[in-house]
Amino acid sequence: PVWLKPSYFSVNHGVVALILENGTCLDGGNVIIPKSIFDQIGYFSQDFGHVGEEIDYGDDTDFLMRAGEIGAIQSYDPDLYILHHIPARKQSIQWFAQQKRKSSYQKAVLYITHHKELRTHPDQLRLKLHFLRRSVVELMEWGVCCIGIVFRDRKEFPFYQNYTIEKILQVYGKMLMTWHIFRLLL
């Protein structure tokens, strides 16, 4: 489709090699992992990721987070990349929305899994209310974004699909993730 940007299917951390920090993870489709890491932490979890035709996410992120917990360093090199075919089924707003729904749930599970202090937080009620409040705030932000589609900058977003993917679905994903964290903490 004319509105589809190649950047929607790529991960780009810039034009210079760098060490990734602050919880940023590479995509699992293009990582090189020393065997010693597998020997220390095991393999990709089968609790996450695609199963047959069922789309799901998180296996690579979980693995890289576990690797980070033992001190492994992720580095990004812009000269290493892969090119792959994007099937027609992934070239629709519906696919992008489905991807956000599924990945937001897995991100919530991973957030709780890798932040063990959440389960032992001394004030569980306050913690749950924090994520509920964030969900409500993000729901309102999502509503404003949805209304904004009519008033969008047509030079920046010539097609409604661009605004939907770059604005609405980004907020939608954050909102769903915090909502799932709230639900999973109950």
Side-chain angles (χ1 to χ4, degrees):
V2 67
W3 56 266
L4 195 64
K5 296 180 182 179
S7 61
Y8 294 162
F9 297 102
S10 66
V11 176
N12 186 340
H13 296 285
V15 296
V16 297
L18 56 94
I19 302 297
L20 298 180
E21 299 176 325
N22 300 327
T24 302
C25 288
L26 295 165
D27 267 7
N30 195 25
V31 295
I32 299 169
I33 303 167
K35 183 182 178 306
S36 62
I37 299 293
F38 289 104
D39 293 340
Q40 291 179 61
I41 66 169
Y43 298 104
F44 288 82
S45 172
Q46 294 182 354
D47 294 335
F48 304 103
H50 299 308
V51 177
E53 291 296 313
E54 183 65 28
I55 296 172
D56 218 341
Y57 301 94
D59 53 337
D60 50 355
T61 305
D62 172 66
F63 181 88
L64 294 169
M65 291 173 85
R66 287 187 287 128
E69 290 169 0
I70 63 160
I73 297 172
Q74 292 183 64
S75 60
Y76 168 77
D77 185 337
D79 293 330
L80 297 174
Y81 59 90
I82 58 172
L83 300 174
H84 61 90
H85 170 73
I86 306 298
R89 67 181 171 78
K90 290 185 176 184
Q91 299 178 28
S92 71
I93 292 292
Q94 292 77 14
W95 182 85
F96 283 96
Q98 176 187 13
Q99 183 267 343
K100 279 294 178 203
R101 279 192 301 277
K102 294 210 174 235
S103 68
S104 66
Y105 177 77
Q106 290 303 353
K107 286 178 182 177
V109 170
L110 288 169
Y111 185 84
I112 291 171
T113 300
H114 291 278
H115 290 85
K116 294 171 181 47
E117 70 277 5
L118 294 177
R119 292 189 297 274
T120 59
H121 191 276
D123 192 346
Q124 284 292 307
L125 179 59
R126 179 172 290 219
L127 183 66
K128 291 172 193 173
L129 290 175
H130 165 76
F131 284 103
L132 177 60
R133 181 187 65 77
R134 280 189 48 197
S135 297
V136 171
V137 168
E138 289 161 359
L139 175 64
M140 291 185 291
E141 185 181 342
W142 178 68
V144 169
C145 283
C146 289
I147 293 168
I149 199 166
V150 176
F151 306 104
R152 72 187 187 276
D153 179 341
R154 299 291 201 276
K155 288 182 183 174
E156 185 178 0
F157 305 105
F159 304 98
Y160 80 88
Q161 293 95 332
N162 301 124
Y163 183 86
T164 301
I165 290 168
E166 295 173 38
K167 295 291 185 182
I168 294 173
L169 290 179
Q170 298 308 309
V171 175
Y172 179 66
K174 282 185 355 185
M175 174 193 66
L176 285 179
M177 181 182 150
T178 54
W179 172 250
H180 289 307
I181 291 171
F182 165 74
R183 283 185 41 243
L184 291 168
L185 286 173
L186 291 177

